[in-house]
Amino acid sequence: MSRSKHAGGFRNALKEVFSYKSALIGIAILLLLVCLSIYTIITIPLPEAIHAWRSSEIWSKNPRNAQPEWIEIFYGKKLPRTIIVSSKGINASETPLEDGKRAFSLILFFNYDYEDFPPEIIVFFNSSYSEKLTIDVYWIRPDGEEIRLKRHTLRRPDDKLYLSNDLGLELQLERLVESKIGKANFTVTVERGLFMEYSKTLRVLKGRYGIRFESVLNAGDTLEAEVVVYGLVYGLAGTDHLRRPLIIGLLWGTPIAMSFGLAASILTTVLSLIIGTISGWYGGVIDSVIQRATEINAVLPFLPILILLTTFYRIDIFVILLSIILLNIFSLGIKSTRILVMQIKSYPYIEAAQAYGASNLRLILLYVIPKIMPPVVPAMISSVPGFVFLEAALSFLGLGDPFLPTWGKIINDAYTHGALYKGFYYWILEPAFLLILCSVSFALIGIALERTVNPKLKEL
Amino acid sequence: MSSDVRLLELEDLRKWFEIRRGFLSSKTNYVKAVDGVSFSLDEGKAVSLVGESGSGKTTLGKTIIRLYEPNSGRIIFQGKDVTHIRANELKWYRRMTGLVQQDPFGAFASHFTIFRSLEEPLLIHNTVKSKEERAERIFKALEEVRLTPVEDFAYKYPHMLSGGQLQRVAIARAIILEPKLIVADEPVSMLDASVRIEILTLLRRLQERLRLGVIYITHDLATTRFFSEWALIMYAGHVMEKASTQEVLRNPLHPYTRALLTATPEPNPENRNRFKEVPPGEPPALIDPPKSCRFSPRCPHAFDKCFKEEPPEFEAASGHWVKCWLYGRS
Amino acid sequence: MSEDKTVLSVRDLKLYYRTKKGVVKALEEIAFDLKKEDVLAVVGESGCGKSTLARALVRVLPRNIHTYEGKVILNGRNVMELDEETFRREVRWKKISIVFQGAMNSFNPVFRIGYQVAEPLIIHDNVEKKEALNRARQLMELMGMPGAFAERYPFELSGGMKQRAAIAMALITNPEIVILDEPTSALDVLTQANIINLLKRIKNELRLTYVFITHDLGLASELANKVAVIYAGKMVEISAADVFYTEPKHPYSRGLIASVPTLSTDRTPEFISGSPPSLIDLPSGCRFHPRCRFAWDKCRTEEPSMFRLEENHLVRCWLYGGGK
Ligand SMILES: Nc1ncnc2c1ncn2[C@@H]1O[C@H](COP(=O)(O)OP(=O)(O)OP(=O)(O)O)[C@@H](O)[C@H]1O
Ligand SMILES: Nc1ncnc2c1ncn2[C@@H]1O[C@H](COP(=O)(O)OP(=O)(O)O)[C@@H](O)[C@H]1O
Ligand code: SF4
Ligand code: SF4
Ligand SMILES: [Mg+2]
Ligand SMILES: [Mg+2]
């Protein structure tokens, strides 16, 4: 109640906040994240995002665990992107044979200028047939050499041909390489055998490659093929073990993390504020009950309870939010609010207001709460990162929302799929970076706000 | 006390505060802050409540305007018993009474402008409906307390005003609902000597013009005579002497009143050459005050009876009551 | 009553504080002389610089000092020239001690009163603790406190008792001069009268010189034989108490005296309207002119200096010098 305390200087406070460089940085980052969130929500509607995140089918033509494209900067060479060549729009040559059969031949060409080998090659077929359909597959290298790769019999109309995992093919190629350059001092995988220059050093042969399919079609049969030469890098954020582009998860993680953090911090703060105020204002039995509750809450093990909850109930983000709030409102914040309120309650201006007939509700809302808000707001902003991390941590422990793509879940995936041990650092670093960015922005703003309301901290 | 219209009447009013001794003890003790006070006040008149700190002045004042509920006794306001009224009746009583507190700096919510602070009572009682009328009332009240030009003050925050100015605003707030009774609890004790008289004069003028009953609480006997018709001397929760202010000052009867008068400093260069005859010691603890005369441990005139029995209030002269065995007809 | 020996002489004392809003000119051109057993009452409104003067005399200053200069001559020696260490060792508490405003509420709640009273002895004179405690006890008894109170903690004492202890603490090192900054302003009249009696008694017994700071002119007359009135950081009048109370000269002094309500006369108290100026942004000319009934053009532009009316009577007002 000191006289010098600024009263109603909300605008001044704002001005002061803006005078801190750290706050400006915080606000800039926050704005960036908000724009990102808005962009995400508009361009990838949530149901679509959830659907995309949950299905693995639609991503089958993405590389698995591809690093982000910008990683090339560190390698200093051009890493392969995914190449998809489809027979759509390309005329296969068909020569009629007897009994209405047709000789089918299709060549798909593509350029390969990358400086590393692709991790995987798959051919997707799309056909309709009445009898078994057998396809011969040939590989045409830029130097004109043609290799017969395989005879493949379709098991389904939309069968796939996994070239990479074919041990027979690998052996065949190894022999071929050996015949060209002698015994190689590296393992000849399918991809290497197909794309290497025939020399002692392992190098990609750049140029125009082709893949030819030959078959005999019965009357009415159709055959389409699509070759996917998977890349080592993908998009801005890379892909995960399910070939999903991480960018979707990262983008959607932003609004989720921010709204989760804000909702949790605002709701816990407001509710504890209300409870603390009631406790301090009314005193007596209500106060005792609330005090005991906070003491019990202080010794309750938070995480185990949450784990217990999640094993019994189907959890989604709202259940998590609710439980976090419930377990946090009876926090120690109540004690300080209560003490503040008891102090304010004894100020003469409260008594004056009672003397002119102000009701308890009015006193609390108009006379007490505004007085305790100044330290509460910065504390609230500063508590956002804690909740963001908490959600991430819960997801990481497998206690997150099963549907939503969140940063925590990405880290969880990465961790359980050995990202660190396999060297997929981007998989963990990207969500971690955003997590920290988000936290730092709130923390910077919170600290600046705190300084404006607490003159003692100003000198720091 | 006169034939005028009676505004307030207190009958044997008591306010005891409960205090619990320790955590396990079931025995409750009481601070007997106001222990049997009776007096009456007419409309438009002022009474001074004089006493040392802890004598129960503030408690009595707050009990009268029902910020505290009395433990026993009766408060009659305009002929109506308001001792234990509640809800709507109490709200009416709040409108009929006003309070001016001791500390002007603490008396206002620092996040409200002066205008907003003055608007609060009007909003709560909804006596003035439109915003324009409210503003008019607020400006009028500020004019009443001579805070002009009113626009200069209305939109300031409390910390921008001096103590004297804030105390005027406090008075404006106390009269804005057009009450009949105002309790002014040491309204000038935290202000500078040069400002005190100004505030008291202002209060006195308002009292006369608006026909307010004023209960002026003070520890300074010297100010009572210009600002009140009646004086009540309190000591340790009891009223020791009551009479017209003139009478109390000219013809003090109670030993405590006399001690107070002697002790009150007066500007006089002769003072430095003499010692003052004042009783030593301090007022008793109100948890366990003497059962007999509460001033007896310090009284220079105390005799046997004083230590045995509590004296009643004797009417030593017409309209002059003293709670002291010296004036007992026995 | 007093000998002819000047014990304290202050000349041109100036103290400015540095604040965010500007320089607070808290004290300027302070000058007075005190003889042994004199009591100088320093009176004035809140914020006029009374406590600043007290602090400047014992050099207990906050950190935000802007200017601190002038002469403080103690028994012929200008103590302003001493370095902090010498000042602490030889002057503060040894020669001139102080009862701070609100001292009774500044006791450390976790130490016994007796120890706190004895502390200056232990710190300044390196007296052994036991010996010091003994002295403290004796002194507290002299102050009219039961000796056993030395064992009590501050919260176990009433305001009057704590104030007595604060006075004892100022006296424990046998100083010649004691500065009393509002020593009774938080106390009841009866307690106040008792403390004033006490101050009178020990002054006579110990032959002390007081600088008695108060805003209460009535109270000032209880002790003072000299009165100095401060307005907005400057002394506006200084004279013998007998003269001051019967014939105050400066319009501000007159206003102050007229504002004291009295029991012994029928005079209705008057008030000085307006309020003192900010010490950051002082009015031009005479600092009192915005509130002065007598002000004329000259007052608004030129600042009066101290005019000597008699040997010991100085007034800072154009009414008394400099020609009209
Ligand atoms: N440390 C400080 N920094 C800045 N200004 C100060 C400081 N201490 C005092 N002041 C200012 O200096 C002026 C004189 O203050 P001082 O405490 O001496 O007044 P005072 O006459 O003792 O008042 P009171 O009667 O209220 O005790 C005031 O305007 C005050 O606000
Ligand atoms: N809310 C309270 N609870 C307990 N004791 C109280 C309370 N308010 C006042 N008292 C006690 O009642 C006595 C009278 O206090 P008060 O009315 O404030 O005196 P005054 O106004 O004359 O200084 C004091 O002993 C004080 O400690
Ligand atoms: S009753 Fe006795 S003790 Fe009490 S005031 Fe009168 S004379 Fe003194
Ligand atoms: S100099 Fe002028 S303004 Fe100042 S006190 Fe004297 S008459 Fe008043
Ligand atoms: Mg009181
Ligand atoms: Mg002071």
Side-chain angles (χ1 to χ4, degrees):
Chain A
M1 287 298 309
S2 79
R3 265 181 92 195
S4 57
K5 189 108 193 171
H6 292 283
F10 180 68
R11 209 170 291 167
N12 285 348
L14 266 190
K15 217 185 265 171
E16 204 175 329
V17 168
F18 280 112
S19 72
Y20 291 106
K21 220 171 256 146
S22 58
L24 283 181
I25 297 173
I27 291 168
I29 300 175
L30 193 66
L31 277 178
L32 192 86
L33 292 174
V34 168
C35 291
L36 206 63
S37 305
I38 294 172
Y39 168 81
T40 309
I41 295 168
I42 292 172
T43 54
I44 325 171
L46 185 61
E48 216 169 272
I50 291 179
H51 174 73
W53 196 249
R54 304 248 314 145
S55 86
S56 52
E57 277 317 298
I58 57 174
W59 305 119
S60 59
K61 283 160 198 167
N62 276 357
R64 196 189 290 277
N65 288 129
Q67 307 195 62
E69 282 174 3
W70 45 262
I71 205 85
E72 279 177 342
I73 302 167
F74 302 107
Y75 287 90
K77 59 180 181 184
K78 208 157 161 46
L79 294 176
R81 310 286 196 273
T82 302
I83 298 166
I84 303 178
V85 249
S86 167
S87 63
K88 275 206 190 84
I90 291 172
N91 288 328
S93 75
E94 293 186 15
T95 334
L97 301 173
E98 71 263 31
D99 343 329
K101 289 186 181 171
R102 288 162 292 146
F104 175 93
S105 172
L106 167 74
I107 310 183
L108 298 175
F109 286 110
F110 60 93
N111 277 317
Y112 196 85
D113 312 319
Y114 304 110
E115 284 155 14
D116 206 338
F117 297 92
E120 198 178 6
I121 304 161
I122 299 178
V123 182
F124 294 80
F125 292 105
N126 190 7
S127 62
S128 57
Y129 50 83
S130 43
E131 264 171 58
K132 233 163 40 171
L133 202 60
T134 305
I135 303 160
D136 290 307
V137 184
Y138 301 85
W139 186 251
I140 304 161
R141 289 164 52 91
D143 49 15
E145 179 161 0
E146 187 171 309
I147 308 163
R148 181 172 181 278
L149 294 183
K150 224 177 141 58
R151 161 160 294 188
H152 183 67
T153 308
L154 294 184
R155 290 155 294 183
R156 294 197 309 274
D158 59 345
D159 200 10
K160 293 172 207 161
L161 171 60
Y162 295 92
L163 289 178
S164 302
N165 301 357
D166 197 318
L167 193 60
L169 183 58
E170 194 172 310
L171 284 171
Q172 178 197 337
L173 287 170
E174 197 175 11
R175 273 196 303 275
L176 176 71
V177 172
E178 202 176 331
S179 73
K180 301 274 182 189
I181 60 163
K183 186 105 184 118
N185 52 356
F186 45 82
T187 347
V188 179
T189 59
V190 172
E191 295 81 17
R192 286 176 180 174
L194 293 178
F195 283 96
M196 70 184 278
E197 202 181 286
Y198 293 139
S199 68
K200 273 287 178 192
T201 44
L202 183 61
R203 201 182 308 140
V204 175
L205 177 67
K206 294 183 189 173
R208 189 156 177 267
Y209 287 83
I211 184 160
R212 187 152 59 88
F213 303 94
E214 301 218 326
S215 183
V216 176
L217 305 182
N218 288 315
D221 288 0
T222 59
L223 178 61
E224 282 171 11
E226 195 173 23
V227 179
V228 181
V229 181
Y230 290 94
L232 277 175
V233 294
Y234 180 92
L236 255 179
T239 59
D240 66 4
H241 63 300
L242 297 176
R243 302 173 188 276
R244 297 177 295 197
L246 282 181
I247 192 82
I248 294 184
L250 292 175
L251 281 179
W252 258 104
T254 314
I256 292 173
M258 291 210 303
S259 39
F260 184 88
L262 270 175
S265 79
I266 291 176
L267 288 172
T268 28
T269 310
V270 168
L271 290 174
S272 332
L273 194 71
I274 292 173
I275 296 171
T277 307
I278 289 173
S279 180
W281 185 265
Y282 289 99
V285 182
I286 300 178
D287 184 35
S288 306
V289 170
I290 293 175
Q291 289 314 301
R292 294 304 87 76
T294 59
E295 277 149 27
I296 292 168
N297 188 72
V299 296
L300 278 185
F302 170 76
L303 219 54
I305 290 184
L306 212 59
I307 294 175
L308 212 65
L309 271 176
T310 54
T311 48
F312 284 122
Y313 298 96
R314 196 191 73 89
I315 44 160
D316 58 27
I317 196 104
F318 294 103
V319 176
I320 298 169
L321 186 64
L322 200 74
S323 14
I324 287 183
I325 289 168
L326 281 181
L327 288 168
N328 269 293
I329 42 174
F330 282 98
S331 66
L332 296 178
I334 284 191
K335 294 239 180 217
S336 53
T337 307
R338 167 177 173 266
I339 290 169
L340 260 177
V341 169
M342 294 201 311
Q343 232 174 51
I344 293 172
K345 196 183 168 189
S346 70
Y347 285 157
Y349 79 87
I350 297 289
E351 183 175 75
Q354 281 166 339
Y356 54 68
S359 62
N360 275 326
L361 189 65
R362 190 179 193 94
L363 286 170
I364 291 177
L365 291 181
L366 294 182
Y367 292 71
V368 177
I369 301 266
K371 279 286 215 219
I372 49 182
M373 276 324 258
V376 167
V377 174
M380 182 172 84
I381 300 288
S382 304
S383 76
V384 173
F387 289 111
V388 173
F389 271 110
L390 185 59
E391 188 277 327
L394 289 175
S395 293
F396 180 73
L397 293 175
L399 307 175
D401 185 284
F403 300 112
L404 291 176
T406 68
W407 296 338
K409 230 153 65 216
I410 294 176
I411 297 178
N412 178 33
D413 286 344
Y415 189 75
T416 48
H417 292 90
L420 287 176
Y421 135 88
K422 290 179 187 159
F424 301 145
Y425 298 113
Y426 71 96
W427 199 355
I428 285 183
L429 289 181
E430 284 169 1
F433 172 74
L434 285 175
L435 206 55
I436 289 167
L437 204 64
C438 179
S439 305
V440 162
S441 71
F442 281 107
L444 286 176
I445 297 169
I447 290 169
L449 278 174
E450 208 142 344
R451 281 190 198 177
T452 58
V453 298
N454 188 348
K456 265 187 222 140
L457 290 175
K458 269 187 192 164
E459 287 133 39
L460 297 178
Chain B
M1 288 182 185
S2 83
S3 59
D4 283 313
V5 188
R6 177 89 1 128
L7 177 66
L8 178 75
E9 206 156 336
L10 305 185
E11 289 172 14
D12 200 28
L13 200 65
R14 272 167 228 272
K15 176 64 201 172
W16 295 2
F17 294 106
E18 224 174 89
I19 48 167
R20 233 159 262 130
R21 270 278 171 89
F23 168 63
L24 287 174
S25 144
S26 58
K27 189 174 166 244
T28 49
N29 284 294
Y30 293 96
V31 176
K32 298 172 183 169
V34 170
D35 206 10
V37 170
S38 311
F39 75 85
S40 49
L41 181 68
D42 289 340
E43 251 177 39
K45 294 285 190 283
V47 58
S48 292
L49 234 61
V50 191
E52 289 176 275
S53 77
S55 58
K57 310 181 295 290
T58 299
T59 307
L60 178 56
K62 288 192 197 169
T63 311
I64 290 172
I65 58 169
R66 280 294 313 278
L67 281 175
Y68 293 146
E69 186 148 359
N71 295 59
S72 71
R74 297 211 304 160
I75 307 170
I76 316 283
F77 179 80
Q78 293 186 333
K80 181 177 157 63
D81 188 333
V82 296
T83 324
H84 301 290
I85 48 168
R86 307 222 153 263
N88 277 338
E89 282 180 306
L90 186 59
K91 199 168 173 189
W92 162 81
Y93 191 54
R94 296 259 181 265
R95 190 155 46 104
M96 300 309 287
T97 57
L99 173 68
V100 180
Q101 294 152 301
Q102 180 172 8
D103 175 10
F105 299 110
F108 295 91
S110 57
H111 57 283
F112 284 166
T113 58
I114 299 304
F115 186 92
R116 187 73 183 74
S117 276
L118 291 177
E119 198 178 16
E120 276 292 290
L122 299 176
L123 288 173
I124 288 165
H125 291 276
N126 210 12
T127 45
V128 191
K129 296 277 191 304
S130 81
K131 194 158 175 64
E132 292 73 42
E133 273 177 87
R134 278 201 300 271
E136 202 175 298
R137 276 285 271 284
I138 290 163
F139 289 150
K140 201 177 129 228
L142 284 173
E143 261 164 37
E144 297 262 29
V145 296
R146 307 282 143 73
L147 281 176
T148 46
V150 288
E151 289 83 3
D152 279 7
F153 293 96
Y155 303 105
K156 283 192 166 150
Y157 284 95
H159 74 272
M160 303 172 180
L161 268 56
S162 72
Q165 290 168 337
L166 280 178
Q167 205 58 303
R168 290 162 194 248
V169 181
I171 294 173
R173 182 172 66 186
I175 59 167
I176 202 160
L177 290 169
E178 300 175 345
K180 284 279 150 226
L181 176 68
I182 284 194
V183 170
D185 186 2
E186 310 214 26
V188 296
S189 69
M190 288 185 65
L191 304 179
D192 257 308
S194 59
V195 188
R196 286 182 187 169
I197 300 304
E198 196 174 359
I199 298 289
L200 287 175
T201 312
L202 179 79
L203 199 58
R204 183 69 165 167
R205 295 242 176 94
L206 284 174
Q207 178 222 330
E208 284 164 355
R209 216 160 51 70
L210 307 175
R211 273 183 72 75
L212 287 171
V214 171
I215 294 173
Y216 169 54
I217 296 175
T218 181
H219 59 257
D220 182 6
L221 256 182
T223 53
T224 59
R225 98 149 188 259
F226 307 100
F227 305 104
S228 63
E229 282 80 22
W230 304 98
L232 233 80
I233 311 294
M234 282 191 81
Y235 184 78
H238 280 168
V239 172
M240 293 307 198
E241 184 160 2
K242 62 185 176 205
S244 72
T245 311
Q246 290 294 332
E247 177 74 9
V248 169
L249 296 183
R250 207 173 298 143
N251 184 24
L253 297 180
H254 198 281
Y256 176 63
T257 315
R258 291 189 184 161
L260 272 186
L261 275 167
T262 321
T264 305
E266 295 260 301
N268 180 356
E270 304 289 304
N271 285 342
R272 69 172 188 274
N273 303 320
R274 52 187 180 227
F275 285 88
K276 279 190 162 162
E277 297 244 349
V278 279
E282 274 149 23
L286 291 179
I287 294 182
D288 189 19
K291 301 268 178 301
S292 54
C293 170
R294 290 194 177 173
F295 192 54
S296 57
R298 301 170 78 184
C299 182
H301 307 287
F303 56 101
D304 294 354
K305 195 165 186 182
C306 306
F307 299 104
K308 288 192 197 115
E309 253 181 277
E310 182 181 318
E313 290 180 7
F314 296 110
E315 192 165 13
S318 158
H320 191 158
W321 300 79
V322 194
K323 196 181 179 70
C324 172
W325 285 124
L326 291 178
Y327 304 92
R329 288 143 299 199
S330 52
Chain C
M1 163 173 157
S2 51
E3 294 168 24
D4 252 346
K5 185 182 157 229
T6 300
V7 289
L8 177 67
S9 183
V10 173
R11 288 289 173 274
D12 272 329
L13 190 61
K14 181 195 259 187
L15 196 151
Y16 292 172
Y17 297 109
R18 191 170 4 87
T19 66
K20 256 192 197 164
K21 289 184 194 150
V23 176
V24 179
K25 297 179 177 164
L27 275 188
E28 274 179 354
E29 291 180 48
I30 299 297
F32 58 85
D33 292 309
L34 287 187
K35 302 205 165 80
K36 187 132 187 95
E37 286 188 62
D38 267 355
V39 177
L40 172 73
V42 178
V43 297
E45 275 164 289
S46 178
C48 70
K50 304 184 296 294
S51 298
T52 303
L53 172 59
R55 277 184 249 123
L57 291 178
V58 288
R59 216 196 271 183
V60 177
L61 303 169
R63 264 192 287 170
N64 60 332
I65 292 300
H66 179 273
T67 312
Y68 174 50
E69 57 191 40
K71 285 185 190 150
V72 176
I73 301 157
L74 206 65
N75 295 320
R77 177 191 193 196
N78 183 5
V79 297
M80 286 291 279
E81 286 164 0
L82 302 179
D83 62 63
E84 172 56 29
E85 177 56 25
T86 324
F87 190 88
R88 187 188 69 83
R89 204 158 11 85
E90 296 176 13
V91 182
R92 188 185 304 134
W93 240 270
K94 295 288 293 184
K95 290 274 181 294
I96 178 164
S97 67
I98 179 166
V99 178
F100 286 108
Q101 186 168 12
M104 63 183 214
N105 297 318
S106 318
F107 282 112
N108 189 329
V110 301
F111 292 116
R112 292 177 202 280
I113 274 291
Y115 172 74
Q116 297 191 60
V117 170
E119 213 173 355
L121 263 192
I122 302 170
I123 294 172
H124 290 267
D125 289 6
N126 293 321
V127 175
E128 242 183 76
K129 193 174 162 187
K130 206 170 154 207
E131 161 87 31
L133 285 178
N134 251 333
R135 280 281 327 262
R137 210 184 164 95
Q138 280 167 16
L139 201 55
M140 284 165 75
E141 278 168 14
L142 185 70
M143 298 297 126
M145 299 172 79
F149 278 21
E151 299 301 313
R152 292 201 180 176
Y153 289 96
F155 71 89
E156 296 175 298
L157 295 179
S158 69
M161 286 301 156
K162 275 189 280 187
Q163 193 60 36
R164 284 167 206 260
I167 295 169
M169 189 170 154
L171 292 175
I172 192 119
T173 48
N174 284 323
E176 282 180 68
I177 302 171
V178 183
I179 297 168
L180 303 158
D181 191 356
E182 312 254 9
T184 62
S185 55
L187 301 173
D188 285 316
V189 260
L190 292 192
T191 317
Q192 170 173 286
N194 278 316
I195 299 263
I196 293 291
N197 281 344
L198 168 75
L199 288 170
K200 276 183 197 167
R201 185 163 55 78
I202 56 175
K203 175 177 113 60
N204 295 340
E205 281 173 25
L206 306 175
R207 308 202 56 222
L208 295 169
T209 307
Y210 289 152
V211 176
F212 178 37
I213 292 172
T214 177
H215 60 265
D216 184 340
L217 279 174
L219 203 62
S221 75
E222 295 279 352
L223 283 170
N225 66 334
K226 287 184 181 165
V227 180
V229 181
I230 299 192
Y231 184 77
K234 280 199 177 178
M235 239 176 211
V236 294
E237 179 160 7
I238 180 166
S239 71
D242 300 322
V243 180
F244 181 80
Y245 282 101
T246 46
E247 264 188 90
K249 285 289 191 288
H250 195 281
Y252 179 62
S253 311
R254 289 193 235 168
L256 278 188
I257 291 208
S259 74
V260 181
T262 55
L263 289 166
S264 51
T265 63
D266 272 333
R267 187 179 53 76
T268 311
E270 287 158 24
F271 55 86
I272 314 167
S273 51
S275 49
S278 141
L279 295 182
I280 295 174
D281 186 17
L282 287 160
S284 61
C286 171
R287 290 182 181 181
F288 187 57
H289 87 250
R291 301 169 77 184
C292 182
R293 278 191 286 158
F294 307 101
W296 74 97
D297 294 349
K298 186 175 189 176
C299 305
R300 285 180 259 278
T301 51
E302 280 177 70
E303 186 162 15
S305 54
M306 279 297 230
F307 299 113
R308 192 175 296 275
L309 300 188
E310 283 164 51
E311 168 64 16
N312 285 322
H313 195 170
L314 294 119
V315 182
R316 187 187 296 280
C317 172
W318 287 125
L319 291 174
Y320 303 98
K324 290 232 169 171

